């Protein structure tokens, strides 16, 4: 089950790359749904979540039952700073960090997948839960990426 989850995280990152392929910076930064994130902003969110969750994974794997704070993107200056960078750079960083995370997760002993953290919203929070949560959260945003990519022309194969 754990390796299937890692594979899913890899495939989802590849889908983010596919859905942003062939578009210039202007198209990526243009909102196609009024009042909603552009493709660029979604890519920046993927990158920021990779940072947030990467730190959570690191803490759960190196500390005993650390406290994990909820994340909300509103008012996150690090997210705003990412939106000021070229999308291809943010995407490349996201893909590199995702691969590093996948390699780390693949190397875990079965018991490490169940190292715990304390999250105020989730009673049973461990490495496995966080990886699965990450996959579902990201899938939601990939669907948004797909919906917002469609108005910009033929989808890449």
């Amino acid at each position: 089950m754990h390796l299937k989850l890692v594979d899913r995280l890899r495939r989802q990152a590849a889908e983010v790359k596919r859905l942003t392929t062939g578009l210039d910076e202007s198209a990526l930064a243009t909102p196609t749904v009024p009042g909603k994130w552009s493709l660029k902003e979604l890519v920046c969110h993927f990158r920021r979540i990779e940072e947030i969750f990467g730190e959570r994974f690191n803490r759960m794997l190196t500390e005993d039952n650390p406290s994990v704070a909820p994340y909300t993107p509103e008012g996150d200056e690090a997210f705003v700073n990412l939106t000021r960078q070229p999308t291809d750079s943010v995407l490349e960083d996201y893909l590199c960090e995702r691969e590093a995370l996948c390699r780390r997760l693949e190397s875990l002993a079965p018991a490490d997948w169940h190292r715990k953290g304390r999250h105020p919203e989730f009673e049973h929070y461990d490495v496995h839960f966080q990886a699965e949560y990450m996959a579902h959260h990201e899938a939601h945003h990939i669907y948004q990426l797909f919906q917002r990519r469609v108005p910009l022309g033929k989808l890449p194969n």
Side-chain angles (χ1 to χ4, degrees):
M1 177 65 191
H2 296 138
L3 294 181
K4 286 182 181 180
L5 191 51
V6 173
D7 180 60
R8 180 176 175 188
L9 291 171
R10 269 199 182 101
R11 286 183 290 110
Q12 288 184 179
E15 186 67 357
V16 171
K17 182 178 181 178
R18 182 184 79 87
L19 289 171
T20 57
T21 297
L23 299 173
D24 63 20
E25 187 69 15
S26 176
L28 290 164
T30 301
T32 59
V33 177
K36 302 293 183 180
W37 280 343
S38 66
L39 274 68
K40 176 179 185 150
E41 289 166 317
L42 284 166
V43 169
C44 292
H45 182 65
F46 292 131
R47 175 66 181 106
R48 184 68 177 123
I49 290 299
E50 200 71 24
E51 292 173 354
I52 303 273
F53 279 44
E55 177 58 29
R56 288 180 182 180
F57 281 119
N58 188 55
R59 290 191 59 226
M60 284 193 290
L61 292 168
T62 60
E63 299 174 24
D64 289 329
N65 202 24
S67 178
V68 177
Y71 171 73
T72 55
E74 295 78 28
D76 181 6
E77 193 59 36
F79 170 79
V80 173
N81 289 337
L82 286 170
T83 65
R84 295 180 182 130
Q85 298 177 26
T87 307
D88 61 348
S89 173
V90 176
L91 179 63
E92 186 59 34
D93 289 347
Y94 160 73
L95 295 170
C96 287
E97 288 299 316
R98 173 55 57 88
E99 184 55 29
L101 173 64
C102 287
R103 288 176 189 256
R104 185 172 192 190
L105 292 174
E106 284 173 329
S107 73
L108 294 180
D112 288 337
W113 280 90
H114 303 288
R115 289 186 57 93
K116 299 201 178 306
R118 293 182 324 276
H119 192 290
E121 297 170 3
F122 305 105
E123 183 178 349
H124 304 287
Y125 196 87
D126 63 9
V127 170
H128 177 102
F129 176 88
Q130 181 177 268
E132 191 161 344
Y133 181 93
M134 184 179 196
H136 288 290
H137 173 261
E138 189 172 74
H140 164 75
H141 287 301
I142 289 171
Y143 179 60
Q144 291 175 332
L145 194 68
F146 170 78
Q147 289 177 309
R148 295 169 196 175
R149 172 63 172 84
V150 169
L152 298 175
K154 187 176 184 313
L155 294 173
N157 294 326

